[in-house]
Each structure stands twice: as C-alpha cells, then as structure tokens.
Amino acid sequence: MKLTRGAFMTYLDASFGADETYEWYLVGKDIEEMSTELNPDVETVKNILDETSVNDKGYEPSLKADPFYANPEDPLYPKLRDIAMGRLKCDDCKTTILELIVEDTKSSGHKAFIEDVYVKPTSIGGDTSGVSIPFTVYYAGNRKEGTVALANKVPTFTPKENA
C-alpha cells in the first residue's frame, strides 16, 4: 500500500532557538501541495574519448510553504511577521527543521532528520482570503538522523547514537 501525503511531515521550530527546547510547528495547514525540492548539483562532462565524468556536488534543498495565512494563534506567525516586516536576515531567520516519515502507524518510532535552516518570507499581503506570508526554507546543514515518537502529532526527536 502506498503512503498518503500525510505520512511525510515537516515541522519548524517556532521558537527559532529562543531556548533549549524545540517548539515544533507542523507546516501544511491551508497548503494543498508542498515538497522539499532537493535541487541536486550534478555536472556531467563528456570528453573527446567518449568518456563521461560526473562531478556530484550534493544538494541545495529548499521548501516553499505557500500559502501561509497570518493567524496570531499560530506559534510560527510572530516570527514570520517580524522577519517580513523588519526585513530581518542572517541568524535572525535561522531555526531548525524536522522531517519525518510515518511508514508504519503502529510503530512508536519513525525515521526522522533535523537540520539547521533559514526561513525567508517571500511576500506579505495577499488577496481577500486573508493576510498571507508565504515563505521559503533554505537548508543550512548540520543534518542529524534520528527517530521521532508522535503523540497527537507532537513530535519528540531522539538522535541516532553515534550520528
């Protein structure tokens, strides 16, 4: 049986590192389609001897969350508002992303990764649907593998030993 889209969950730390604990916000409300674009950076060159060489430089992943409707009750909203309205940059936009995939709903631990990211609103305003602050997430490295236990969609991340 194939996995439903809901099996792949993306959370952002809405505290933006304000303290030692994560305040996970599940991204996806009001969004009908969202994917992490891996943006592989691969170059192939064929020489005059008909030999092909590959230069694999890795990935430059990003994620677009559009729309994100401004809701003062959402824990992510105040920081997105401040970044957009204050034109903040650098570490003021840095937080952590948690990605997990639920392959077996009966399992108590799901494969997951956390990574440093920068969250950058792409606009603020929108149409009559409401104030929208769509944003793009840029992955910044420091990726760590682990597992997540879920309780009512609230994750608890445990890093993989020796990771």
Side-chain angles (χ1 to χ4, degrees), residues 104-131:
D104 179 0
T105 56
K106 294 178 179 116
S107 176
S108 61
H110 309 288
K111 189 171 195 74
F113 290 85
I114 61 170
E115 185 168 349
D116 295 337
V117 294
Y118 289 86
V119 176
K120 299 297 285 189
T122 55
S123 66
I124 186 168
D127 60 22
T128 57
S129 306
V131 175

Side-chain angles (χ1 to χ4, degrees), residues 41-45 53-58:
D41 188 1
V42 179
E43 179 182 294
T44 59
V45 177
S53 61
V54 176
N55 184 7
D56 185 347
K57 298 177 187 174

